[in-house]
Amino acid sequence: MAAHVQWTGRPASKEHEHPYRAPPAPSNPVVRGLPLYYGAKIITSSTLIQNLLWGNAGFDSLRNRAELEGVEPRYEPLVVKSSGTRVSTAEALQMLSNEDWTSRTPSEKLYPSILDYHEAYKTGRTTPTAVAKVLLPLVRRDVEIPSKHSVAFLSSKVELVMRAAEASTKRYEEGKSLGPLDGVPVAVKDEEDVTGYPKCVGSKLDLKDKHDATSYCVKAWQDAGAVLIGKTNMHEYGMDTTNNNPNHGTPLNPHNDTYYCGGSSGGSAYAVGAGLVPVAIGNDGGGSIRIPSAYCGLYGLKPSHGRVSIRPTSNLARSNGVAGPLAANMVDLEISYRVMAQPDLQEPDSALFDTPSSAVTHGRKKVLGIFTEWFDRADPAVRQACMNVIDYLTSKLDYEIVDISIPMLHEGQTAHAMTILCEIPSGVSSLKDLTPANQVLMSVGSKTLGVDFLQAQKMRMLLMQHLAHLYEKHPGMIIVTPTTPNAGWNFDLQDLKYGCSNGNMSLRSMEYVWLANFTGCPAISVPAAYLGPEKGTGRIPIGFMGMGEWCSEDELLAFGYDCERYLHDVYENGRVKPATYVELLEAATTQAEP
């Protein structure tokens, strides 16, 4: 007998038909270097200029919109589909250990996976202790000459790392491994709390939790035996999509060091992309997992809103932000997600969800929804790269395409931006110690009036109602777009010292990703292709994104495996490994203790 399914918080299905209208060209000023440094001081002291910039950003465009009349505001997009299927953490880890992963892994592995580490430990080819000893000199900042990789990390505690690695090594020696994640090196974005570690969310401030707690999702990895190598660099307060960080240095793209890693989880993306760890935790309030995954050629999952608990850590963007994994391979993405998404019974939202199940689903529908006018806004080369994946999925793997439309997309992006620019500054007591770009962003965002914020939440409800209609009409549908419409983001060297305020490019990079955050839907980014760079040496990865119905992570992961087959088996020359890649497992194998 099929389990009874219950929905909590699902919006009423309602189609909203509004003809597509392309947005006006953005007109935000681009400011960098010393003009940004001094300009920020002027802007933060002038309400008049703040109001002018607020209006210039189009934040008043939701007023008096007839389309929003009669729409109730929706303040948080939590939607839960539950059948009451729940197992203990120990049972969930045992399920991972018993699962057959062979059919899901590419025949040729370019990046070592969690499973490769696990196998190396079981066979005694190396140990978690040996891996930690090789890895620590690469990630530590507190040494006389840090390595080029250390900029991706903000802190690493040698004693804690070695204690965890040695405990894991002992478990393997005794034949008591906790599962595939045991002993695997991982990294965590500085947005999360970790016992024994400082926290600054990329700023110069001390934001460490007074109870010295560990975020639930981090602890879930640690309880599964993962060895936390350190906390990763991030864009200050998660407020942009580059990971430019004048406070602590900016990690540069492993594929081409004239490009950004993407943000705000750029340190985590660098750590995975450069081979330092197979998985890392990121946070995503407006694409901050998926954009760096796309820019660095990785797999990234933004889970359904509220599914992954970060308790007791406070959420910087309460109605938009979630924690999730960035991974080298699809098996890494699935394993790490299933561990961190184990329901937290002490957190009201997470406690509502089922235990994640296997991505090997039988009889799933293979439907791709495409909104052509929106999809076609990508740069031509990016659009074509993603269409090539779609052609493979439809011609070889029996996916069906349905044409869809989504109303008021560009107004929706404005509503999302307005909302998150209210949420994050509300947790900042003073702007004076922040970088100039964030001083400008937060001071401008603070000018939002209550009526405009309410209109933005009406827009959220309108979009959620329409998505409920689309998913009801096309069960199992995954809405596909490029992850970003652009092929990476190269930078000016002076940006690294003072930062850069480029709202036009920020909005462009977020063109597709924001919708999943604002409506609470899960979304996955997978590498799809590599394009020649505008600057520097090294081809630039292109991301392809799928957004599913609430709680459809299993289906999205299955979709991700299909896309991974395209990249490895069909795409010309296959997947690309960056020149900066560290062959960590190989190095640890040669240096393993007898």
Side-chain angles (χ1 to χ4, degrees):
M1 181 180 294
H4 174 69
V5 172
Q6 178 177 337
W7 285 97
T8 302
R10 185 183 177 90
S13 171
K14 184 175 181 180
E15 183 177 15
H16 292 271
E17 293 188 272
H18 303 293
Y20 179 79
R21 288 181 299 198
S27 56
N28 299 292
V30 179
V31 189
R32 52 172 45 96
L34 286 174
L36 174 61
Y37 177 79
Y38 290 110
K41 297 182 181 298
I42 296 171
I43 291 169
T44 54
S45 63
S46 171
T47 298
L48 175 62
I49 297 177
Q50 292 167 17
N51 284 328
L52 287 172
L53 291 173
W54 185 89
N56 187 68
F59 288 147
D60 58 356
S61 63
L62 301 182
R63 296 178 182 176
N64 304 315
R65 295 300 297 254
E67 301 95 330
L68 298 178
E69 291 181 7
V71 178
E72 292 290 326
R74 172 98 182 214
Y75 300 103
E76 192 163 341
L78 179 69
V79 179
V80 180
K81 180 183 181 182
S82 175
S83 62
T85 304
R86 187 169 296 158
V87 301
S88 69
T89 299
E91 290 173 311
L93 292 177
Q94 190 60 51
M95 289 167 60
L96 289 173
S97 296
N98 294 340
E99 199 148 342
D100 180 10
W101 299 96
T102 55
S103 63
R104 278 173 267 183
T105 56
S107 55
E108 182 179 348
K109 298 182 212 173
L110 202 62
Y111 290 68
S113 72
I114 287 172
L115 301 177
D116 294 315
Y117 279 90
H118 186 50
E119 185 63 22
Y121 298 153
K122 287 195 301 181
T123 59
R125 286 194 293 114
T126 190
T127 66
T129 301
V131 168
K133 288 181 176 179
V134 172
L135 188 49
L136 278 168
L138 301 177
V139 304
R140 291 179 61 184
R141 281 176 171 257
D142 58 340
V143 292
E144 186 175 352
I145 305 178
S147 86
K148 63 182 178 182
H149 304 292
S150 65
V151 70
F153 286 79
L154 295 183
S155 55
S156 184
K157 299 296 183 181
V158 175
E159 182 180 349
L160 296 178
V161 173
M162 292 309 301
R163 186 188 306 165
E166 288 164 0
S168 178
T169 297
K170 183 177 180 181
R171 287 193 293 271
Y172 277 100
E173 289 173 348
E174 296 175 349
K176 298 178 180 179
S177 163
L178 298 175
L181 205 54
D182 199 351
V184 175
V186 301
V188 172
K189 185 180 181 182
D190 191 53
E191 194 166 328
E192 306 301 344
D193 289 299
V194 179
T195 300
Y197 276 83
K199 178 182 175 181
C200 64
V201 295
S203 74
K204 294 180 178 179
L205 304 173
D206 179 7
L207 300 172
K208 180 180 174 62
D209 177 75
K210 64 180 180 180
H211 302 295
D212 196 24
T214 295
S215 301
Y216 177 88
C217 58
V218 179
K219 190 172 185 302
W221 279 11
Q222 291 179 315
D223 288 347
V227 177
L228 174 60
I229 295 298
K231 298 186 74 180
T232 55
N233 201 333
M234 60 178 287
H235 205 110
E236 184 185 66
Y237 271 90
M239 289 291 284
D240 208 344
T241 62
T242 62
N243 213 99
N244 182 318
N245 192 314
N247 296 322
H248 303 286
T250 300
L252 305 180
N253 196 303
H255 288 268
N256 184 321
D257 64 7
T258 66
Y259 281 70
Y260 287 121
C261 283
S264 60
S265 307
S268 290
Y270 180 95
V272 178
L276 303 175
V277 294
V279 292
I281 288 179
N283 297 78
D284 193 318
S288 288
I289 288 172
R290 290 160 291 154
I291 292 173
S293 293
Y295 283 1
C296 293
L298 308 174
Y299 297 87
L301 179 67
K302 178 259 167 202
S304 298
H305 189 81
R307 182 156 207 166
V308 174
S309 171
I310 62 172
R311 176 184 61 85
T313 301
S314 59
N315 196 330
L316 295 180
R318 182 66 180 88
S319 77
N320 291 282
V322 297
L326 301 87
N329 305 282
M330 274 303 306
V331 291
D332 303 324
L333 195 72
E334 180 179 358
I335 291 170
S336 57
Y337 159 72
R338 286 170 59 182
V339 173
M340 70 191 301
Q342 179 73 11
D344 178 3
L345 302 185
Q346 296 183 49
E347 204 289 315
D349 293 347
S350 175
L352 298 172
F353 289 86
D354 289 343
T355 299
S357 59
S358 174
V360 179
T361 55
H362 300 285
R364 67 183 175 95
K365 294 183 180 294
K366 295 183 175 183
V367 181
L368 304 179
I370 299 179
F371 185 10
T372 302
E373 289 89 344
W374 192 31
F375 197 108
D376 287 351
R377 284 180 51 79
D379 294 347
V382 174
R383 179 192 178 280
Q384 186 57 56
C386 293
M387 286 304 303
N388 290 343
V389 184
I390 292 172
D391 290 343
Y392 166 76
L393 294 173
T394 54
S395 64
K396 302 297 183 183
L397 299 182
D398 301 322
Y399 280 80
E400 170 192 355
I401 291 178
V402 295
D403 293 321
I404 62 170
S405 65
I406 304 174
M408 303 181 74
L409 275 171
H410 303 295
E411 294 87 348
Q413 186 174 4
T414 298
H416 167 263
M418 188 190 308
T419 301
I420 206 164
L421 282 175
C422 288
E423 290 181 330
I424 294 180
S426 70
V428 180
S429 58
S430 173
L431 301 183
K432 64 182 180 66
D433 294 318
L434 301 185
T435 54
N438 271 350
Q439 291 178 17
V440 173
L441 267 179
M442 293 195 188
S443 63
V444 171
S446 69
K447 298 297 106 179
T448 300
L449 298 176
V451 64
D452 298 296
F453 185 83
L454 286 171
Q455 289 295 95
Q457 308 321 301
K458 289 183 178 182
M459 179 62 68
R460 191 201 299 264
M461 176 63 93
L462 180 148
L463 289 166
M464 291 181 70
Q465 288 177 338
H466 188 80
L467 288 175
H469 157 73
L470 289 177
Y471 288 124
E472 185 178 273
K473 183 178 180 180
H474 306 291
M477 179 181 65
I478 295 172
I479 298 173
V480 291
T481 63
T483 307
T484 66
N486 52 297
W489 184 338
N490 55 54
F491 56 84
D492 190 302
L493 283 175
Q494 64 177 319
D495 296 351
L496 302 183
K497 183 173 182 180
Y498 295 107
C500 177
S501 179
N502 187 346
N504 302 334
M505 187 61 179
S506 297
L507 290 172
R508 178 73 171 150
S509 65
M510 294 170 65
E511 171 121 9
Y512 300 118
V513 292
W514 66 270
L515 182 61
N517 296 100
F518 203 44
T519 62
C521 293
I524 189 172
S525 177
V526 301
Y530 302 84
L531 298 182
E534 294 182 6
K535 294 168 57 178
T537 303
R539 298 171 71 198
I540 305 303
I542 300 299
F544 179 52
M545 188 175 73
M547 186 183 84
E549 186 177 17
W550 301 280
C551 302
S552 65
E553 284 88 347
D554 297 348
E555 289 81 1
L556 283 177
L557 290 168
F559 162 81
Y561 280 112
D562 289 340
C563 295
E564 186 177 41
R565 288 173 58 186
Y566 166 80
L567 184 66
H568 282 262
D569 300 339
V570 178
Y571 179 68
E572 186 177 2
N573 298 322
R575 195 174 186 190
V576 173
K577 182 183 287 187
T580 55
Y581 192 84
V582 177
E583 300 291 352
L584 179 67
L585 190 55
E586 180 179 320
T589 299
T590 61
Q591 297 185 30
E593 298 173 339

